[in-house]
Amino acid sequence: MSPETLDALGVCAATLDLAQGRVLWRAPSFERLAGGRDDSVADLCRRLGGLQALLDGDAAVRTVACEGRPLEARRIALDDGRVVLRLDDRHGEAQARQRHLEDREQLLFTSRLLSIGEMATTLAHEINQPIGAAANLLRGSVMRLQRGDLDADGRNGLLQALQRATEQVLFASRVIARIREYTHSHTPKRTPIDVAALLRACVGLLDWETEREGVRVDLQAPAEPLWILADETMLQQLFVNLMRNAIDAMRGNAPGTRRLDLSVRVEGSQVEATVCDSGSGISEEAEQTLFVPFVSTKPTGTGIGLNICRSFVELHQGRLWFTRNDGPGTSFHAALPLMSANEVSAIKKEKTP
């Protein structure tokens, strides 16, 4: 094998004929590490302190010195009497590893600073969803109290609205806690979740907004649960964001034409949830920057909602995309890995004390 081939393979080696005292050949990397080109074994031993002891002794590995720099020398005896001498700069490798670790730590530190800088915008956007929902629920409750015509059904409805408002405030608290955890870990807390049940809960959270905007909501889902392993807070935020975007897209529609169609179905080994609106649709120009952070077509939009949604889906090994409807509007699809009934049972048993 030629020295060039050995060098290309990253092998820093030379072949010695000890009987004749000659260096038969060496890889270019061997010359660079040894600090020169020696044709005799004697000259090589003078250059590398401690090499003669390695060649004369029984040990196969020994530390040698080249201009004060420690190198690891390894002797490999061949059947024909020749010896392969391999050099490794362990000290240099250690320094390179240390530099790599320091560079990685600096990169992580810089990334952490950037993340912290983005938290303010992300936090403001994410808590706006549950706080807005809570405000709608409380506003509706005030209107009911002002009318003063609460019968038994009205009181029950008011109680449910206040309970939902409380849930939204608690949800905002969980969002803040999750963003705080984001600076320490990206691993979501996953539990088995029925996608259809989660969508129904999201519809309930936004019912005051859909009623105010005159949006008709329809959910199509199979009777049996379709389970995924997911972080409930992330997935709820995902669907609330998509549904609110759909409502925003239909604000220019004539009354009676605002439809929000939700569906859940199995596609192969995945659960596909779809949020479909009858709004103005997405232009080809807007499509180019649809998932780009801080780019928005809304006058007051932050441009990070869909970027957050896609991050949530990808954290769950899923995919988020959109299609244009045959009629007016747009459909957003989130595909997530489907859990089997056995997997759900096994996880629930593990968590049972």
Side-chain angles (χ1 to χ4, degrees):
M1 185 177 291
S2 69
E4 290 76 13
T5 303
L6 286 171
D7 191 50
L9 293 173
V11 179
C12 180
T15 300
L16 313 180
D17 185 334
L18 298 183
Q20 298 183 15
R22 295 172 53 213
V23 178
L24 301 178
W25 51 261
R26 81 281 293 159
S29 57
F30 184 93
E31 293 181 12
R32 291 192 296 270
L33 195 56
R37 179 186 180 91
D38 296 298
D39 293 325
S40 72
V41 174
D43 289 341
L44 185 60
C45 287
R46 282 191 289 270
R47 184 181 296 277
L48 300 177
L51 177 59
Q52 189 65 59
L54 173 66
L55 298 177
D56 294 341
D58 296 329
V61 181
R62 183 184 177 92
T63 299
V64 299
C66 178
E67 299 178 350
R69 185 174 77 255
L71 302 174
E72 181 185 274
R74 182 179 298 273
R75 184 190 63 181
I76 304 170
L78 302 180
D79 293 339
D80 58 6
R82 293 179 300 166
V83 170
V84 172
L85 179 65
R86 177 170 179 171
L87 297 180
D88 289 297
D89 186 2
R90 298 302 186 192
H91 180 68
E93 291 177 2
Q95 287 183 322
R97 284 195 298 270
Q98 182 62 32
R99 286 195 299 270
H100 174 71
L101 289 174
E102 291 173 355
D103 290 344
R104 188 175 65 176
E105 289 174 1
Q106 183 62 39
L107 179 61
L108 289 173
F109 178 70
T110 303
S111 176
R112 179 67 56 83
L113 289 179
L114 291 174
S115 295
I116 292 173
E118 292 172 356
M119 283 301 102
T121 304
T122 303
L123 179 61
H125 180 274
E126 290 215 28
I127 66 172
N128 181 61
Q129 306 281 9
I131 294 300
N136 287 336
L137 291 165
L138 293 173
R139 190 179 297 113
S141 299
V142 170
M143 292 172 60
R144 289 183 177 184
L145 288 172
Q146 288 175 336
R147 287 199 299 265
D149 55 350
L150 293 178
D151 53 14
D153 290 339
R155 286 192 296 272
N156 288 335
L158 180 60
L159 178 60
Q160 291 176 6
L162 293 175
Q163 288 173 335
R164 288 178 181 173
T166 302
E167 291 172 359
Q168 283 301 288
V169 173
L170 293 175
F171 177 68
S173 176
R174 291 198 300 272
V175 169
I176 295 171
R178 176 166 47 77
I179 291 177
R180 186 187 300 117
E181 292 174 1
Y182 173 81
T183 60
H184 302 288
S185 173
H186 291 278
T187 304
K189 297 178 180 178
R190 303 184 184 187
T191 57
I193 293 174
D194 176 10
V195 180
L198 182 61
L199 278 175
R200 292 189 189 96
C202 293
V203 171
L205 295 176
L206 297 176
D207 60 356
W208 286 97
E209 188 166 1
T210 54
E211 182 179 346
R212 183 187 65 208
E213 297 295 334
V215 176
R216 179 182 172 184
V217 182
D218 181 63
L219 172 59
Q220 297 291 330
E224 67 277 6
L226 297 179
W227 298 97
I228 60 173
L229 189 63
D231 178 274
E232 183 175 3
T233 302
M234 283 189 179
L235 266 294
Q236 188 178 49
Q237 191 69 37
L238 161 71
F239 291 124
V240 167
N241 280 358
L242 293 179
M243 291 166 64
R244 294 204 71 192
N245 284 348
I247 294 171
D248 288 342
M250 295 185 287
R251 293 192 191 280
N253 286 27
T257 63
R258 300 171 185 174
R259 288 183 53 86
L260 179 59
D261 294 316
L262 311 174
S263 63
V264 184
R265 62 178 181 175
V266 175
E267 282 291 328
S269 61
Q270 294 185 312
V271 178
E272 183 180 319
T274 300
V275 178
C276 175
D277 65 66
S278 59
S280 55
I282 297 174
S283 67
E284 292 185 1
E285 180 181 359
E287 179 182 352
Q288 303 303 316
T289 57
L290 193 61
F291 293 99
V292 177
F294 306 110
V295 177
S296 177
T297 57
K298 300 178 184 178
T300 59
T302 62
I304 61 175
L306 284 176
N307 183 263
I308 291 173
C309 288
R310 185 171 65 176
S311 297
F312 286 170
V313 173
E314 290 177 350
L315 275 172
H316 291 83
Q317 292 78 51
R319 186 167 70 96
L320 178 67
W321 74 100
F322 85 95
T323 56
R324 293 183 174 87
N325 299 340
D326 293 335
T330 307
S331 295
F332 277 85
H333 312 267
L336 298 158
L338 172 67
M339 295 182 70
S340 67
N342 291 337
E343 289 174 325
V344 175
S345 299
I347 291 177
K348 289 184 176 180
K349 286 181 181 178
E350 289 177 1
K351 295 187 177 182
T352 302

